[in-house]
Amino acid sequence: MRALFLALAATGLVAGGVPALAAPAKKAAPANKSAAPAAGAQAAQSEHAVLYLKVLISALQSDQVKEEAKSALVGCLYENSLGKISEGVDKVIAENADKVQRDKPAEVFAVLTAVCGYKGDPTQPSPASPTTGR
């Protein structure tokens, strides 16, 4: 464990490594005033991506989500960037602002599975096929 810490400290990834703790140089104020709103929009997109990733991870750890839905989510994440997935979820939420709330994880999960191409309810078992008599 100590060797791992020393290796990380040497590269500046944990406290004790000077490069990671050095104060960043102050940036000059942007000459273009539209840069500030763009930075705010990018920060919001990053926050949304973190939220969607948390919902995705929770779904993968849940016993209430069907394995097929979990496979669809993993495949979607494997084949697409988190940024692309987030853009898709953001677009659906924006188009359905009256129906989907970002602060409700169950609704975000439903949109996330739909964006990833999963059809049906990811938490309910498939309807039982009708059994036939002898």
Side-chain angles (χ1 to χ4, degrees), residues 2 6-7 16 22 24-25 31 52 57 65 68 80 82 103 124 127 130:
R2 181 180 166 105
L6 291 175
Y52 304 150
I57 291 170
V65 176
E68 297 86 17
N80 302 288
L82 182 58
D103 61 348
Q124 297 297 318

Side-chain angles (χ1 to χ4, degrees), residues 90-101 111:
D90 282 342
K91 181 179 176 185
V92 171
I93 290 175
E95 291 171 353
N96 298 290
D98 57 330
K99 299 175 187 172
V100 180
Q101 304 300 316
V111 172

Side-chain angles (χ1 to χ4, degrees), residues 11 18 27 54 77 84 94 98 116 122-123:
T11 59
V18 177
K27 296 181 181 177
K54 286 180 181 179
L77 189 58
K84 185 175 179 181
D98 57 330
C116 285
T123 60

Side-chain angles (χ1 to χ4, degrees), residues 50-126:
V50 168
L51 171 67
Y52 304 150
L53 186 58
K54 286 180 181 179
V55 170
L56 188 140
I57 291 170
S58 294
L60 294 176
Q61 294 174 340
S62 176
D63 293 336
Q64 298 175 352
V65 176
K66 293 191 299 188
E67 291 300 318
E68 297 86 17
K70 291 179 182 182
S71 295
L73 290 172
V74 170
C76 182
L77 189 58
Y78 182 76
E79 294 176 4
N80 302 288
S81 69
L82 182 58
K84 185 175 179 181
I85 295 168
S86 295
E87 287 175 8
V89 174
D90 282 342
K91 181 179 176 185
V92 171
I93 290 175
E95 291 171 353
N96 298 290
D98 57 330
K99 299 175 187 172
V100 180
Q101 304 300 316
R102 194 172 276 113
D103 61 348
K104 295 182 180 177
E107 293 178 4
V108 171
F109 174 61
V111 172
L112 186 62
T113 55
V115 166
C116 285
Y118 184 78
K119 306 284 187 220
D121 188 344
T123 60
Q124 297 297 318
S126 301

